[in-house]
Amino acid sequence: MELRVNNLSCARGGVPVLAGVSFAVAAGQALILRGPNGAGKTTLLRTLAGLQPALAGEVSVGADDVALATHADGVKAALTVAENLGFWAAVHGQRDIAPAISAMNLTALQSRPAGQLSAGQRRRLGLARLLVTGRKVWLLDEPTVSLDAASVGLFVQVITTHLANGGLAVIATHIDLGLTAAQTLDLAPFKARLGALP
């Protein structure tokens, strides 16, 4: 598995944001996206996930290979932690949610309705969803928001295991996750100039 992006240009709300973005991420590697707020990190991730069309360029993987975790965590408040994960596992043709519950320290919370979780617990549940997708390409938009230091450590271990098992990840984050198999891409040089795109 490899994610290759060639000369990609994307827009937000019809306004060009990024132009000429090219990179490759191999299995076992992570790419950290850097740039100030508004640089286009979220727009790039949404384009890679197939949620919005690119203005130009090519992405080598299809949407069916990708799992996206954003600020909108997709958690159903009325369902318990276990029911939420069970639902998403079924959507992706998976069954076993126990590893996801354990990895994100949700064992004691699995019977609690998601609507009763704290912001950090809810974020851990949202990230646990990645583990029940069975997908190799993870796209993550500021995944550590609302997480305490211990939960960030859990998340880093989950990413490390995913990479060791042949997965890959593209992560927009402002913090240093300490991932040894990571490269960094600053999006500032790819800012689209108005009138530069067809």
Side-chain angles (χ1 to χ4, degrees):
M1 174 66 67
E2 183 180 46
L3 169 62
R4 298 189 67 84
V5 172
N6 183 40
N7 203 30
L8 190 71
S9 296
C10 1
R12 179 175 55 241
V15 177
V17 175
L18 296 168
V21 179
S22 296
F23 61 82
V25 188
Q29 293 183 331
L31 177 68
I32 307 298
L33 301 178
R34 299 285 194 208
N37 292 336
K41 300 183 294 294
T42 297
T43 300
L44 176 58
L45 291 173
R46 287 177 54 81
T47 303
L48 296 178
L51 296 181
Q52 59 189 54
L55 296 176
E58 299 174 339
V59 177
S60 66
V61 298
D64 289 343
D65 298 314
V66 169
L68 174 66
T70 67
H71 303 116
D73 51 31
V75 170
K76 304 298 184 190
L79 299 182
T80 67
V81 166
E83 288 168 344
N84 268 283
L85 288 174
F87 169 80
W88 284 107
V91 166
H92 294 286
Q94 308 292 314
R95 290 176 180 238
D96 190 7
I97 64 170
I101 287 175
S102 176
M104 291 309 297
N105 193 24
L106 295 167
T107 303
L109 300 171
Q110 59 186 321
S111 298
R112 184 176 297 179
Q116 296 177 12
L117 300 177
S118 71
Q121 292 166 341
R122 191 177 176 103
R123 175 48 62 104
R124 288 187 354 241
L125 174 55
L127 293 172
R129 285 177 50 222
L130 294 167
L131 293 163
V132 301
T133 65
R135 296 187 173 183
K136 291 290 189 182
V137 180
W138 288 2
L139 306 176
L140 303 132
D141 192 3
E142 298 293 349
T144 60
V145 170
S146 300
L147 294 183
D148 59 20
S151 296
V152 171
L154 289 174
F155 167 70
V156 170
Q157 184 55 53
V158 163
I159 290 288
T160 301
T161 301
H162 177 65
L163 301 181
N165 290 334
L168 63 92
V170 180
I171 309 168
T173 181
H174 292 289
I175 72 168
D176 181 5
L177 297 173
L179 295 171
T180 56
Q183 52 186 317
T184 300
L185 178 67
D186 184 356
L187 292 182
F190 301 102
K191 183 177 180 179
R193 295 188 309 267
L194 293 178
L197 296 173

